[in-house]
Amino acid sequence: EAARLFRLAAEQGLAGARFNLAIHCEHGRGVPQDVDEAARLYRRAAEQGNPVGQNNLGSCHAQGKGLTQDNREAARFYRL
């Protein structure tokens, strides 16, 4: 139920909802696990200034999780 509500709020453009839905997608909580979708949602949250989204997007870049592994991009998002 939480994932469904986060999706509805994310579709309305709420950064916090995008971040929380990304967590659910990354770990398969209430939705099928999808690290590509998680990375996309972290990026959307990060672009809206969500600091934890920025950090988690950096982690995705560092680990190559849902994105091509790129330490330079990881460092950029860790510094935001």
Side-chain angles (χ1 to χ4, degrees):
E1 176 70 7
R4 184 183 72 78
L5 295 174
F6 285 136
R7 185 171 303 282
L8 289 172
E11 289 169 358
Q12 297 298 312
L14 298 174
R18 286 177 171 159
F19 168 76
N20 283 306
L21 182 57
I23 292 285
H24 281 70
C25 290
E26 182 178 6
H27 300 287
R29 295 182 187 155
V31 295
Q33 186 175 23
D34 185 345
V35 294
D36 294 335
E37 177 67 5
R40 280 190 292 275
L41 289 162
Y42 285 138
R43 179 172 301 283
R44 303 278 309 268
E47 288 170 348
Q48 289 181 273
N50 182 284
V52 189
Q54 292 165 346
N55 181 74
N56 286 23
L57 182 58
S59 293
C60 288
H61 278 293
Q63 298 171 23
K65 222 176 186 183
L67 302 164
T68 302
Q69 195 273 335
D70 185 336
N71 287 330
R72 197 172 294 214
E73 274 296 283
R76 184 171 78 85
F77 282 101
Y78 286 144
R79 284 193 294 264
L80 292 177

